[in-house]
């Protein structure tokens, strides 16, 4: 899929309506992490350098079409001004008036789009009202692209549209990982449950050369092969589905890599006694909480011969040591290969990003997506409406 970028547009004397994700964490009225705001700087600066004016559109929280004062972007505006180093004016009504009065490098920040019921309904009227404020539409919010909303989908059909820098960077990283990847491609999928990642597994077995299944969901696959997993987290009702995925992988020539050894404990708490056993040796009163060193060795060997890695979901219950060991070791291996220029590594998912940060490996990955739901839908092979609307 191809999309226009800022380089394809002429911003001189134009007003750009820029959809951004500045849904930052706030505690007691104070923004505690400005990462999301920092990531829009290249797009804002670039549009201004090209002679355009910037009008930011964003959502905050889930107000569900109603005005919820605590979710007003008025509270975020000072942090945006601070991070951008530009005058930022928040506007909650009379948008047209504020736009007409924009001066110099002033940036407008429209009130939380989700206060308007038209936003999440992808309402044509609301999109038209937004579109009337600018000349060019720029989408820099990949994390909102899996939703067809007025500011992500309908508006893109009303104005010349392009991807912002962050969106373009994310799309090209994702394309390198699964769209047109260098082979062999390895996918690591872990996490708690198979049920939340069925579509993802189904899509990946048809696309990658090796699929590592780890975390709690590996237990479901072990159990589906007749192995006793004791008190482990396991979705026994998905045994048939797990066997179908194994069959589909076999037909597609995708190697499925399940734990070759397991780390078990009687309690999921810090300092709990744990032992490393063969995959079929889980005691009836124990839980599998991580993969063991033989599994990590095998994964490392596969990564040594791979060109591309895409990763979602930790290999174990990484929140509590020592059950973070397999995740940390595999992450360190992927990070080292990436730094050496031998592997393209892309990872995403809420807990995955936390786990890779905890492992100290995140900075060395080729690309880390912080997009959560949009990243998962992309891994499932779904078309993202906000991205489709940008394609030329
Ligand atoms: P992401 O948010 O990156 O998509 P998930 O939410 O699917 O990842 O999975 C993360 C969760 O999976 C973590 O809370 C982790 O503790 C849990 N998990 C991983 N392995 C196991 C296991 N063997 N038993 C129980 N929970 C596990
Ligand atoms: Mg999660």
């Amino acid at each position: 899929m191809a999309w226009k970028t800022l380089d394809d547009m002429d911003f001189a004397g134009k007003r750009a309506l820029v959809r951004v994700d500045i849904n930052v964490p706030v505690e007691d009225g104070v923004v505690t992490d400005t990462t999301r705001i920092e990531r829009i700087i290249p797009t804002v600066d670039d549009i201004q350098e090209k002679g355009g004016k910037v009008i930011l559109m964003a959502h905050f929280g889930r107000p569900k079409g109603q005005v919820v004062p605590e979710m007003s972007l008025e509270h975020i505006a000072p942090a945006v001004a601070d991070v951008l180093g530009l005058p930022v004016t928040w506007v909650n009504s009379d948008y047209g008036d504020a736009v007409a009065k924009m001066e110099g490098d002033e940036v407008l920040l429209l009130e939380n789009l989700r206060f308007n019921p038209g936003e999440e309904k992808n309402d044509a009227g609301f999109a038209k009202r937004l579109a009337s404020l600018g000349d060019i539409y720029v989408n820099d919010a990949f994390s909102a692209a899996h939703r067809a909303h007025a500011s992500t989908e309908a508006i893109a059909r009303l104005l010349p549209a392009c991807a912002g820098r962050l969106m373009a960077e994310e799309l090209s990283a994702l394309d390198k990982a699964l769209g047109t990847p260098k082979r062999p491609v390895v996918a690591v999928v872990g996490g708690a449950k198979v049920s939340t990642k069925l579509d993802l597994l189904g899509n990946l077995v048809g696309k990658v050369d090796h699929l590592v299944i780890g975390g709690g969901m590996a237990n479901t696959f072990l159990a589906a092969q007749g192995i006793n997993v004791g008190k482990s987290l396991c979705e026994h009702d998905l045994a048939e589905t797990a066997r179908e995925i194994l069959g589909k992988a076999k037909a597609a020539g995708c190697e499925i890599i399940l734990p070759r050894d397991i780390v078990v404990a009687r309690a999921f708490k810090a300092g709990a006694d744990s032992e490393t056993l063969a995959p079929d040796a889980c005691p009836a009163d124990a839980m599998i909480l991580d993969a063991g060193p033989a599994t990590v060795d095998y994964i490392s060997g596969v990564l040594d011969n791979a060109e591309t890695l895409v990763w979602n979901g930790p290999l174990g219950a990484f929140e509590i040591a020592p059950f973070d060991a397999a995740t940390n070791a595999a992450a360190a291996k992927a990070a080292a290969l990436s730094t050496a220029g031998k592997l393209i590594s892309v990872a995403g998912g809420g807990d995955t990003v936390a786990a890779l940060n905890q492992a100290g490996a995140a900075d060395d990955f080729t690309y880390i997506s912080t997009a959560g739901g949009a990243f998962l839908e992309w891994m499932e092979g779904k078309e993202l409406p906000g991205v489709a609307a940008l394609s030329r």
Side-chain angles (χ1 to χ4, degrees), residues 171-191:
L171 292 177
S172 68
L174 299 188
D175 189 59
K176 270 189 215 147
L178 276 189
T180 49
K182 279 204 225 165
R183 290 185 180 277
V185 186
V186 183
V188 172
V189 180

Side-chain angles (χ1 to χ4, degrees), residues 173-179 181-182 184-190 200 203-204 207-212 303 306-313 334 343-349 352 356 365-367 369 375-376 378-380:
L174 299 188
D175 189 59
K176 270 189 215 147
L178 276 189
K182 279 204 225 165
V185 186
V186 183
V188 172
V189 180
L200 190 148
N203 181 45
L204 290 177
K207 287 200 171 151
V208 306
D209 305 294
H210 310 271
L211 173 60
V212 176
L303 290 177
E307 294 288 339
T308 305
L309 165 69
V310 49
W311 186 337
N312 169 261
L343 184 73
I344 292 169
S345 52
V346 175
T352 309
L356 296 181
F365 269 58
T366 312
Y367 194 78
S369 174
F375 180 82
L376 286 177
W378 165 80
M379 267 185 98
E380 289 166 2

Side-chain angles (χ1 to χ4, degrees), residues 110-144:
L110 305 187
E111 179 56 299
N112 191 344
L113 297 169
R114 292 187 186 169
F115 283 1
N116 191 306
E119 166 64 358
E120 295 188 69
K121 288 187 183 133
N122 201 19
D123 178 64
F126 184 51
K128 208 167 159 190
R129 182 171 159 222
L130 293 172
S132 71
L133 304 174
D135 308 296
I136 297 172
Y137 169 70
V138 179
N139 191 346
D140 217 16
F142 176 79
S143 56

Side-chain angles (χ1 to χ4, degrees), residues 21 28 48 69 82 131 136 171 177-178 189 198 212 221 231 239 292 296 301 315-316 327 364 372:
D21 176 6
D28 301 326
Q48 289 198 337
D82 216 43
I136 297 172
L171 292 177
L178 276 189
V189 180
L198 273 178
V212 176
F221 281 84
K231 290 206 157 69
V296 173
L315 292 175
T327 303
D364 293 330

Side-chain angles (χ1 to χ4, degrees), residues 194 198 221 224 237-247:
V194 175
L198 273 178
F221 281 84
D237 54 326
L238 287 180
E240 188 52 42
T241 309
R243 284 191 291 268
E244 272 166 33
I245 291 170
L246 295 175

Side-chain angles (χ1 to χ4, degrees), residues 190-192 197 215-216 219 233 288-289 312-314 316-319 348-352:
K197 297 190 177 173
N219 303 337
L233 176 66
I288 304 172
L289 290 169
N312 169 261
F318 75 99
E319 291 94 340
D351 291 291
T352 309

